[in-house]
Structures are given as structure tokens and as C-alpha cells.
Amino acid sequence: MTDTGPQPIPQSPPAAPAPPAPPAKRWAYVIPVAAIMYMLAYLDRNNVSVILPYMHGDLRLSNADKGLVGGVFFLGYVFLQIPAAILAQRWSARKTVLLLMVAWGAAASLSGLVRTTSQFYVARFVLGLFEGGVWPAVLILLASWFPLRERARANALWMACLPLSSVLMAPLSGWMLDQGSWRWVLVLQGVPPLVWAVVWWFAVADRPARARWISRAEADHVERAIAADEAAKPPAGGGSYLDAVKQKPVLVLIGVYFFWITGFYGFNLWLPSVIKELTHDGSSTEVGLLTAIPFTVALAVMIANAAWSDRTGRRRQAVAVPLVVGIAALLLGQAVDGALPRMLLLCVTAAAVYAPYGPFWAIPGELLRFEVVAVAMGLINALGNLGGFAGPYLVGRLTDATGSSVTGFAVLSAFLAAAVALVTLGLRPAVRPVRKPARQATEAA
């Protein structure tokens, strides 16, 4: 055998570099701008709950009328859900939200100029019409920025604007009522969305590749992770829009959301009135400050529940368990005496009905591909939010009929129980935990 000389020592291939850490700028740029935007929307939607107890003798509203004022918003809310979702997905979520923001700000200010009850109903309907498309459009935007393993936390941090709006704005609305007419409260609170529209236009991009404030490497990282999520989804999640909305899990989610939102808004609209009773007809500033307490608790619980949901992948439990707690607290609140125990139970109820938001809205993204999830989420939000009409109106009508809010809140508990049953039994075969950790998802891309 011929000696060929010393042989090179085999070298091990260099280790593959670790995937880059998920960029942090998404959380600092996208979430705060979107949260403030929707916080202003939620203010213009819910400020009426603080105003209604102090409108005596102006528009002569009965409890049923007050419930209708709160609920008619959601009749308008239905119409632009799916069109706005499709526009956001096919055209631009950024531009869709901008147009709706300007329109709802103008409608909110004009609602302070009404002269009759019928005009107030129409104004609230129009406000709901323009606000209706914002929710699904922003969910589409977030789906372009946050992979599934982060989706519940991203949703919850954005949706934290709901309780945060009440924490900050209920005292503000109460103070403004002490300074002047409820009409001026509505007119002035419609102005901030018009100002924030400018910030939205310059700060938000539809997807990472179009953002000026992150590096190319960061944008590629996010888009690769989202592409991996899409590739891993089951084939049943694709297909036409009609195929998407005909799937049993989507129909179940509509039912869950309807029953949950009926209880949610029934509680929310009447919370300031209940607190006003506890304070023995306290001032609007005092009621506003006390109303902020349950929503502060709700904010913390909402974020913690979403983080737990992302960590474990247990979406159904993260929706069902808080609602069970809410049912118990809502019923106990009607049975106990004393301002402090009832206030504590109001805090528990508020936390329970807000906690499912992040996990619930992470579920459609796990079931459906991006190209069809827009319509599915628009349909879920549109039909589910009809509960926002049913809840306030039922409580108002039953309070007028019985002279007590006990029956109304018992009915709200029944609606929440129906939501628990549907999410526990109806989604069992379909909702699966997110299985891939961050490293696997990046390598798959």
C-alpha cells in the first residue's frame, strides 16, 4: 500500500448558531400605539355607563331606556366587522383603522349634541358602526407581528386597554361631570381619537418588512416564525372563507363569545350604577374613582392569565375557569350585605370576565390560516358582540320589572354558564396547545 502521507484529522462541522432572540421592539412600538388607540375607542363606548346615573331629567331615560342606550351600540357594531377584516387582510390594517378612527371620533363628539332619546339611540348606533371594524382589523395586524407562541400575551397586552381605559377614564369622566354638562363630556372625549390618528399613521406598519424602526434581521426573524406557524396548521384550516366559517369550532366560538359578552357588558354597563348605590348616591367623581378599582384588578389578572395560557397552551381552561369564578362572584354579590364585601366581589367579577380575552382570541389563529382567519374573527366578533346589546338591555328591563338588579345579574350568570359549557365541551376536539417552543419554530422556518 502506498503511503500517502499524514492524513488530516477530521473536523467536526461548526455548531449551528443559536437562533436570534425574539426582537423586543415589537412590544414597545406596536402594542402601546394600538392599546392607546383602542383605549380611546373603549372610552367613547363606555363613558355612557358613568354618565347614565347622572342624566336624570334631561332625556327622561328609564332603566330599560338606559339599557337600550348601552346596547344599541352593538347593533351598529355588527355591520363593518367582516368588511373591515377583509380590508385589513387584503389591503391594509393600518389604513383601515385610521379611517375608522377619524369616523368614530367625529361620531362620538356629535353624540353630545343630541336633543331627544331617539337621536341618542341613533348616535350610539352610528358610533358602534364605525368602531365595529377596529377590533378585527387590529387582530389581523397583531397576527402579522406576533407568532402563535406569543399571540395570547400580545392580544392580552393590547386588550389590557379595556380595563385600563376604565381605570383611567372612569375617574376622568366623573370629574368632568362635576365640572359641567354630560353633553360636553361626550363632545370633548370624541376629540382625542382625531389627534391619535396622526400618531397611528406615522408609528404603525402593516408588517415587519414595512417598519422603519426594526432591523432587517429582526423583521426576517418574525416573518420566518409566522411562516412556520402557518405551515404547521392543519389542512382543514385552509380553504375558502365559507369553509372557514362553516367549521364547527368557529360556530362554537361564536356561541361562546355571545354568551360571555352578554354577561360581560351587562356587568360593565351597570357597574357604576351599583357602586353609586353602595356609596349612597355619592358624587360622580367618587363613583368614578371607585369604579376604577375593579378594573385595576382585572388588568393584572388579564395579563397573568394570558401569560399562563401561552406558557401551557391550555386555551380552553384559561377561558372557562375565570368565567366559573365570575359566575360565583356575581351570584354571591347579590346575596351578601355590606359595602366592602360587595365591592370585593365586584373586583373578583371584573377580573373574571376580563381574564379570558387574550387566550380566547389566540384560538382562531391556531385553527385557521392567515388568509381566512380574518373573516372568521370578524364573524365571531360581529355575532358574539350582539351579546353587548342583550346584556345591558336585559338587566335594565328586569330591573324596571322587579325593582331590583338581582334577577338581571342572575340571568347574566346563566349566560356565563352557557359560555363555560360551550368552551369546555364544544372545543375539546379542536383546540390544541401550541406544541413548538421558540427554538424549534425558528429552525422549522
Side-chain angles (χ1 to χ4, degrees):
M1 179 180 292
T2 305
D3 185 4
T4 58
Q7 300 297 310
I9 300 173
Q11 299 290 322
S12 300
K25 283 189 175 181
R26 297 170 296 142
W27 302 90
Y29 277 74
V30 178
I31 296 293
V33 175
I36 292 173
M37 178 276 299
Y38 207 76
M39 185 168 67
L40 297 175
Y42 203 66
L43 165 66
D44 288 331
R45 177 189 314 182
N46 272 20
N47 53 13
V48 71
S49 67
V50 177
I51 289 169
L52 285 175
Y54 299 93
M55 289 178 63
H56 303 302
D58 203 327
L59 294 185
R60 303 181 185 276
L61 300 178
S62 67
N63 285 320
D65 292 332
K66 292 176 182 178
L68 191 55
V69 166
V72 74
F73 171 95
F74 293 96
L75 295 182
Y77 197 78
V78 170
F79 289 95
L80 293 185
Q81 293 282 318
I82 293 177
I86 294 174
L87 275 178
Q89 190 266 321
R90 292 186 176 180
W91 178 48
S92 167
R94 171 177 172 248
K95 295 176 183 177
T96 300
V97 172
L98 178 76
L99 294 175
L100 292 171
M101 200 183 318
V102 173
W104 107 60
S109 288
L110 290 174
S111 67
L113 306 179
V114 300
R115 293 298 170 186
T116 67
T117 303
S118 297
Q119 290 176 358
F120 204 9
Y121 292 155
V122 172
R124 293 286 297 174
F125 178 89
V126 172
L127 179 62
L129 179 71
F130 291 129
E131 281 195 22
V134 177
W135 184 271
V138 176
L139 285 172
I140 296 301
L141 180 75
L142 296 183
S144 299
W145 281 94
F146 298 93
L148 281 176
R149 64 179 178 272
E150 302 170 343
R151 192 73 52 79
R153 280 169 291 164
N155 288 348
L157 285 173
W158 168 53
M159 296 171 192
C161 64
L162 305 185
L164 185 60
S165 176
S166 297
V167 169
L168 299 177
M169 302 306 183
L172 174 63
S173 296
W175 177 81
M176 290 176 71
L177 276 173
D178 278 341
Q179 309 309 309
S181 165
W182 63 268
R183 296 182 181 279
W184 280 108
V185 175
L186 295 178
V187 170
L188 293 176
Q189 290 184 352
V191 174
L194 304 178
V195 177
W196 197 251
V198 179
V199 178
W200 175 270
W201 178 253
F202 288 104
V204 173
D206 280 306
R207 56 186 58 89
R210 296 184 180 179
R212 300 177 182 177
W213 38 262
I214 62 173
S215 69
R216 181 70 258 171
E218 290 177 335
D220 288 344
H221 173 91
V222 175
E223 294 189 350
R224 282 198 304 269
I226 291 174
D229 288 338
E230 293 297 305
K233 289 177 184 177
S240 68
Y241 291 145
L242 185 59
D243 290 337
V245 300
K246 285 169 60 179
Q247 291 184 60
K248 177 186 173 183
V250 176
L251 298 177
V252 171
L253 286 170
I254 292 171
V256 172
Y257 202 51
F258 173 81
F259 289 119
W260 165 29
I261 290 300
T262 299
F264 177 90
Y265 277 112
F267 170 79
N268 261 21
L269 180 73
W270 292 101
L271 176 61
S273 296
V274 173
I275 290 178
K276 185 170 182 283
E277 290 178 8
L278 295 182
T279 61
H280 304 291
D281 293 329
S283 70
S284 56
T285 300
E286 181 184 3
V287 170
L289 287 170
L290 289 174
T291 299
I293 296 174
F295 295 115
T296 303
V297 177
L299 175 63
V301 174
M302 183 179 175
I303 294 173
N305 189 50
W308 180 84
S309 170
D310 272 346
R311 187 172 65 252
T312 63
R314 296 177 178 176
R315 308 296 195 200
R316 289 186 306 116
Q317 292 89 333
V319 174
V321 172
L323 293 183
V324 171
V325 174
I327 292 167
L330 202 56
L331 293 175
L332 280 173
Q334 307 308 305
V336 301
D337 292 322
L340 181 58
R342 291 189 68 188
M343 188 67 185
L344 290 174
L345 288 168
L346 289 175
C347 291
V348 173
T349 305
V353 296
Y354 274 96
Y357 261 109
F360 179 87
W361 284 109
I363 292 173
E366 292 180 357
L367 298 175
L368 302 169
R369 295 184 183 277
F370 181 76
E371 59 268 20
V372 293
V373 76
V375 168
M377 289 194 297
L379 189 65
I380 292 166
N381 199 42
L383 299 182
N385 263 295
L386 288 175
F389 171 81
Y393 184 69
L394 278 173
V395 174
R397 175 63 71 181
L398 291 170
T399 300
D400 274 345
T402 64
S404 169
S405 61
V406 173
T407 306
F409 282 109
V411 170
L412 297 184
S413 299
F415 276 92
L416 294 178
V420 171
L422 277 176
V423 78
T424 303
L425 303 176
L427 290 180
R428 184 181 296 277
V431 181
R432 301 177 301 172
V434 179
R435 299 184 301 274
K436 292 185 179 183
R439 181 181 297 272
Q440 290 177 334
T442 306
E443 290 172 353

